[in-house]
Amino acid sequence: MKILATIILFISPLFGASLENGLKELREKAEAGVPQAQFELGMRYDNARGVPRDRAEAVKWYSKSAVQGDAKGQYHFGLAYQVGSGVPQNDTEAVRWYRKAADQGLANAQENLARMYLDGKGVPKDEAEAFKWYRKAAEQDQEYSVYMVGVMYLRGIGVTKDESEAIRWYRKAAEQGNPDSQMGLGVIYEKGLGVPKDEVEAAKWYHKATETQARLTQKFEALKAKGKKQNEK
């Protein structure tokens, strides 16, 4: 135990110095105008990695990377505008930055842009445009978008109703572990929507949804407890 303690005491200062040097190098690159470094520095401030959490400082660096065309910076800058964190809330600006990132193929931005069109926030409500962007994100295996494509096919929202396509997308999201899709498949088999009624298959998917939700609830409670401990320090 004494040897282990000695090793820890020896390594700890070196590890801290390494983090400090890494942050210094990152800041130098960010201040020199490297967009990826600017985005990463923003993330450091957002998540208190080596620096105190500072949302305004995070958004400052996201904006610098965004105007230089960094897709992740554009997405996070759009998110800041959508929720009004670090900048005044502005759905129109959120859409503008989401679109820039979405056009570069960033799935998170495509998904959020789809939601803005579906809700008519920052843009006129347009279900067909919402479906288009959800489909683009779904094709990159963005779990919630995969689920939403299934929902929109099932209900004929922004696309011609197609129960076979709906089931295909529901199943894909369900196999990714999406509880809403698992529950949806249960309903589909219970009611026979596009498939023969099958109570055994319905029960299987309802059970999977219940198990998945229980795991997610457990993870949420663990993270909440961890956050509480950090706030108490």
Side-chain angles (χ1 to χ4, degrees), residues 138 141-150 169-170 172-173 176:
D141 290 330
Q142 189 79 357
E143 183 187 301
Y144 181 73
S145 290
V146 174
Y147 162 68
M148 282 302 298
V149 168
W169 288 97
Y170 264 108
K172 184 175 181 180
Q176 287 179 321

Side-chain angles (χ1 to χ4, degrees), residues 8 40 83 100 119-120 159 175 197 227 230:
I8 292 171
E40 177 59 30
V83 300
K100 287 178 182 291
D119 294 341
V159 67
E175 289 171 352
K197 286 186 178 182
Q230 288 177 341

Side-chain angles (χ1 to χ4, degrees), residues 90-93 95-96 99 116 120-124:
N90 188 321
D91 285 335
T92 302
E93 279 296 294
V95 167
R96 183 165 80 92
R99 190 185 307 282
M116 301 299 269
K121 291 184 176 180
V123 287

Side-chain angles (χ1 to χ4, degrees), residues 134-193:
Y134 274 131
R135 180 68 185 254
K136 285 180 180 290
E139 287 170 351
Q140 297 190 66
D141 290 330
Q142 189 79 357
E143 183 187 301
Y144 181 73
S145 290
V146 174
Y147 162 68
M148 282 302 298
V149 168
V151 169
M152 296 175 88
Y153 268 123
L154 186 66
R155 299 179 184 174
I157 300 171
V159 67
T160 302
K161 185 174 180 178
D162 187 328
E163 290 178 343
S164 296
E165 275 295 288
I167 293 166
R168 183 169 77 87
W169 288 97
Y170 264 108
R171 186 177 298 279
K172 184 175 181 180
E175 289 171 352
Q176 287 179 321
N178 182 274
D180 293 322
S181 289
Q182 292 168 341
M183 186 66 70
L185 273 179
V187 172
I188 285 169
Y189 278 105
E190 183 181 12
K191 296 186 176 180
L193 302 175

